[in-house]
Amino acid sequence: MTDKITATEIVKRLRGVAQPLARRDMERFGISVDNALGGISTPVLKKLAREIGRNHHLAEDLWKTGIHEARHVAALIDEPEKVTERQVERWAREFDSWDIVDGCCLYLFHRTPFAHRKAVEWSGRKEEFVKRAAFSMIAVLAVHDKEAADGKFTRFFPIIRRQSTDERNFVKKAVNWALRQIGKRNLKLNKAAIKTAKEIRLMNSRSARWIAADALRELTSEAVQRRLHEKRLRTAKITALMII
């Protein structure tokens, strides 16, 4: 697309492919539809984003429309190197749906140099979706920040323990997600995550007990253990070859 494409034109295009009746299906998945057009799938939004290309100013304009799907596109096309802390704080204050939270963390926020710090800061916030963003960020970083040292993730365990008693659905699911993803990075972090889950299991909280049970089920599973052991063997072989 031309650099002169505007947010208004993109919203018009989104309205053209929207299916308003699908808003009911979105609600069943806990997605806020107050500002949603409805019925536009993620592959369609990603295709549109690819056609538009990276564009920081356009991303800001799309976010300002307040339209659910336009905000998804904003996260997809923004330029991480141009994103400021002030911007992510402003966007975070306007979070109104779990999928927008996760989309921003997955496609944009985790690529910023302050992602780890924001995860820590947001974990102490009271707003449900901002707190969810903290743990969504941790989960995404655990998967995508390949070069990060283990210490960057062990520092999250006390935060995960502390916030595991939050009974709000969108928070507890993100806390669980963060714990599971850290525990699947490698065997060392897996052991630490299992230990943390067992500590959480002892807390007098229904949310904490659910988080622990679900995390332990996956982290101790044969499939996860096998994959992590195989990963360690591959790493050891590569290291040996480099020494030779």
Side-chain angles (χ1 to χ4, degrees):
M1 286 189 180
T2 174
D3 291 339
K4 294 182 180 180
I5 187 74
T6 66
T8 300
E9 291 169 314
I10 293 171
V11 169
K12 182 178 180 180
R13 182 166 171 178
L14 289 170
R15 290 187 188 280
V17 296
Q19 302 175 50
L21 291 179
R23 285 155 54 96
R24 289 176 296 185
D25 294 325
M26 294 169 66
E27 284 185 296
R28 282 200 290 269
F29 286 98
I31 296 172
S32 173
V33 297
D34 291 345
N35 298 301
L37 302 176
I40 307 177
S41 68
T42 298
V44 170
L45 293 173
K46 285 184 175 181
K47 182 175 182 295
L48 176 58
R50 287 194 298 271
E51 293 175 7
I52 296 169
R54 293 286 181 181
N55 190 316
H56 175 66
H57 295 296
L58 183 55
E60 283 278 42
D61 288 343
L62 285 169
W63 185 268
K64 289 174 184 177
T65 68
I67 296 172
H68 188 85
E69 292 82 359
R71 286 186 163 183
H72 271 301
V73 176
L76 287 163
I77 70 169
D78 208 341
E79 300 171 77
E81 66 276 9
K82 294 182 180 179
V83 172
T84 64
E85 289 191 58
R86 183 176 181 180
Q87 176 187 336
V88 299
E89 286 291 346
R90 176 162 42 81
W91 284 25
R93 285 195 299 272
E94 297 178 12
F95 283 153
D96 63 354
S97 188
W98 67 265
D99 62 315
I100 291 291
V101 172
D102 294 357
C104 285
C105 292
L106 178 59
Y107 300 118
L108 183 61
F109 291 173
H110 88 274
R111 301 177 188 275
T112 64
F114 40 83
H116 282 265
R117 177 158 50 81
K118 282 299 165 188
V120 175
E121 291 176 7
W122 288 346
S123 70
R125 293 275 288 272
K126 294 181 179 180
E127 307 97 312
E128 182 173 12
F129 290 119
V130 178
K131 183 169 284 189
R132 180 185 175 90
F135 296 98
S136 292
M137 187 91 85
I138 293 170
V140 171
L141 286 168
V143 174
H144 295 284
D145 194 353
K146 304 292 187 183
E147 302 303 317
D150 288 350
K152 282 200 167 186
F153 294 97
T154 55
R155 69 186 294 223
F156 291 132
F157 288 133
I159 296 171
I160 288 171
R161 280 195 298 270
R162 185 167 60 249
Q163 301 302 334
S164 64
T165 57
D166 194 315
E167 301 289 339
R168 291 175 293 181
N169 190 50
F170 295 123
V171 174
K172 74 177 184 180
K173 286 189 173 181
V175 173
N176 169 265
W177 184 24
L179 180 58
R180 288 186 293 107
Q181 293 306 123
I182 293 176
K184 291 188 289 185
R185 268 182 77 89
N186 58 50
L187 280 171
K188 181 181 177 181
L189 287 173
N190 178 262
K191 183 178 180 180
I194 289 173
K195 180 177 181 291
T196 299
K198 289 179 177 178
E199 293 168 351
I200 292 172
R201 186 171 58 184
L202 299 176
M203 293 181 176
N204 184 26
S205 161
R206 184 170 58 182
S207 172
R209 289 192 294 272
W210 177 83
I211 289 168
D214 189 71
L216 286 169
R217 186 180 304 111
E218 181 173 15
L219 296 177
T220 62
S221 69
E222 181 181 349
V224 168
Q225 291 297 315
R226 182 174 61 252
R227 183 178 64 79
L228 291 177
H229 278 86
E230 290 173 350
K231 181 179 180 181
R232 183 174 67 175
L233 286 174
R234 287 195 302 272
T235 302
K237 288 179 180 178
I238 293 170
T239 302
L241 289 171
M242 290 175 66
I243 293 174
I244 294 172

